[in-house]
Amino acid sequence: MRFNRHLNQPIPDKADVRALTPNPATVQLIDRLEDAGCETVFDRFAAQQPQCPSGLRGTCCRMCQWGPCRISGKAPRGVCGRDMNQVVMATIVRQLAAGMSAHARHAHEVVLALRATAEGTATIMLKGREHALDLADRFHIDTDGLGDDGVVRAVAQALLDDIGRMTADPMNTLEAFAPSDRRKVWEELDILPRSAAYESMESLHMTTLGACSDWTALAGQELRSALAYCYGALYTSSLATEVLYGVPTPRLTEVNYGVLKPGHVNVLLHGHSPVMVEKVIEKVRSPEIEALAREAGAEGIVLGGMCCTGDELLARYGIPTVTNIMGQELALGTGAVDAVIVDMQCVIPGLKIVADCFGTEIITTSISNRIPGATHIPFNPERPETLDADAERVARTAVAAFGARDRSKIEIPERVTTAMGGFGYEAILGAFGGASVLADAVRDGRIRGVATVVGCNTPKVAYESAHVGIARRLIEAGVLVTTTGCASHALLNAGLCDPAAAELAPPGLRELLEEAGVPPVLAVGGCVDNVRSLRLFIAIAGELDRPLAELPYLFVGAEPGNEKTVGQGATFLVHGISVLSGFPAQIPVAVPRIGPDGELLDGRNDITEFFAGDGLLSLVGAKIYTETDPACAAQTGLMHLHRKRQALGWG
Ligand code: BF8
């Protein structure tokens, strides 16, 4: 691997990916696309090397039109006077705001669909009425005289308020779900947020030219935004989805590229919002559309999930997942995909380039996402009455693509992997017999710790090698693992979500898993469902009567990519749960140096001190570890869990 001194880490090329990626199907498809002359993310990453050192370190300021300014030893301040700390922290605050906007927009669409369902303007069969009653209770909504639909409408309004409130009133979800000892910490730090929309606005405001010159105040806004992100974007979308489409339960299925079938219409479902895709599934499974597929000469219709939509559909219906963000082009390289139905976020422009190589139809279904050359049939959350007819058109367009392609190019990797998904918060507690059973096991050491392994892929890490390498080692050391997002596709395809993988765990954990009939990695859903893992952490802490920050918990984001991952990590940090990152964020990396007299100089700076030293630790009781090698990263994580256990006297 080529070493990048600005990042203090090796950077993989395509040959490294071939050698290190854990899924053999990936290698087969990389070769296939290369032979077909189709460029992919791996080629474009190579073409971008070496990447800009200032960009890699977060020291390039592009927040006004006096710049761009690069902060360096020669020019330690930008034109306006901003120094390195101000530039780097402001950039991170903006990244979190962008990620929060993405999840909040997703939440907004689901909550509006929920409200429209209660009002009878969207034809959606509500599956989570009991959940709505529970939420109404938690939000202290007076339900007298509201009727069933009125309760759902009131819950939707409470969630909508948390997405968009502009005043300093308390957030409903935060009041209902945050542990009270944590709330005191946040009050003392003065970081209680108003809503996702307000804090996105304030983040952009505080980082614009001449608005705030104190990087520690920007750091405070980062933490405030993390809470807005968690309670205003993640909780709101995850809970609204559960009320609309039901709470997931565990199901056994098969995953990986091999679920695609040559004689079938193969349709991939990709993105984040559940609203259009749920209706499309309903249509695809109707006798009319099935008949249409047979008329076109297909033996049937295969649905496969990608990215967070894939995670959610696996959780709710056991629909097979195929791959994640960096595998989306590879999936089309099978030559078997007739159509990809995409909604919002993580649908990379490169998808259409490969689609054109293989004649795959791309259908965009979000008003926010347009792709030149794709068929656009959008769902507008403010015009829900067209949902039914539009979903029918999407389903027909996807099936019609079957006859339009050259089927001689089909080459599907044979590999399929058994997997169990569907571990909503309630399902995890149900499988193990309650939070108290898990709490006992954490205390007596059968479970050495609980980790959530989540987030995207990045070409800066050999594809999926860090997710799988770290998770496997955590399991072998007796750590219970939950997963979401693109990480979960890596772990699903690697067989770690197969109940049979319990044999990797040491005896105490293995017995627990076998008794519960669950795998060592619990796939809980898409990225917004990270709150399911957070709720699990909170429930076990409650049983143990300990603050979250004292417990052997860990958030692992081994292959961060999207701006959304900044908020994911910050969400757990602000709850007192440390973060293990497999890759340095865009901050000046602390590189130890040899001084003029041969002495070892500490390369620390204010930003690394804040995130990885005593800064955050003293404020919220958690910090960020960064380790790129999967074996070393797992060791670092295990040391963290071990130190927590020792401090509790649990050995
Ligand atoms: O929200 S893990 S690449 S798919 S951002 Fe995107 Fe990252 Fe995947 Fe889902 Ni989450």
Side-chain angles (χ1 to χ4, degrees), residues 266-316:
N266 292 293
V267 181
L268 295 182
L269 310 167
H270 179 12
H272 289 79
S273 168
V275 184
M276 175 66 98
V277 78
E278 283 271 346
K279 191 53 88 176
V280 170
I281 292 169
E282 206 180 295
K283 300 291 176 191
V284 163
R285 288 177 170 169
S286 69
E288 296 80 37
I289 300 291
E290 281 176 0
L292 204 66
R294 278 195 299 276
E295 278 164 30
E299 294 164 41
I301 304 172
V302 171
L303 296 177
M306 284 209 293
C307 288
C308 284
T309 284
D311 290 326
E312 288 199 18
L313 297 178
L314 173 77
R316 286 199 292 278

